[in-house]
Amino acid sequence: MARDPEHIQREIEKTRDALADSLDALADRANPKNLIEGGREQIAEKLADPKIKYTLIAVGTVVGLLVIRSIFR
């Protein structure tokens, strides 16, 4: 059963377009700027968590007080 050459050509073009879209998406994901931005967003989300936020504030306060104490000794 022979297939029509035009049909085969259309399938090849469809496949080529799908592959180009996939490669564009991969290039976009692997872009260092996008990776950095994604990392920043994840860190911002983590720091927005009250448990982490207030723990960091407490640790910063204790460290600050220890530094001030060591300066005045």
Side-chain angles (χ1 to χ4, degrees):
M1 189 159 113
R3 292 176 25 183
D4 179 27
E6 290 179 14
H7 179 72
I8 293 171
Q9 184 64 31
R10 284 191 303 270
E11 285 182 2
I12 290 171
E13 289 172 3
K14 267 192 210 178
T15 303
R16 186 180 296 139
D17 290 341
L19 180 60
D21 290 342
S22 295
L23 288 174
D24 288 342
L26 285 172
D28 189 45
R29 278 194 237 166
N31 185 341
K33 288 182 182 179
N34 293 341
L35 291 173
I36 291 170
E37 185 62 33
R40 284 183 185 159
E41 289 173 5
Q42 287 179 346
I43 290 172
E45 288 175 12
K46 295 278 187 197
L47 292 176
D49 181 13
K51 290 180 185 177
I52 295 174
K53 183 178 180 178
Y54 295 127
T55 301
L56 288 175
I57 290 171
V59 168
T61 303
V62 169
V63 169
L65 291 173
L66 290 174
V67 168
I68 291 172
R69 182 177 173 206
S70 67
I71 289 173
F72 288 113
R73 277 191 164 193

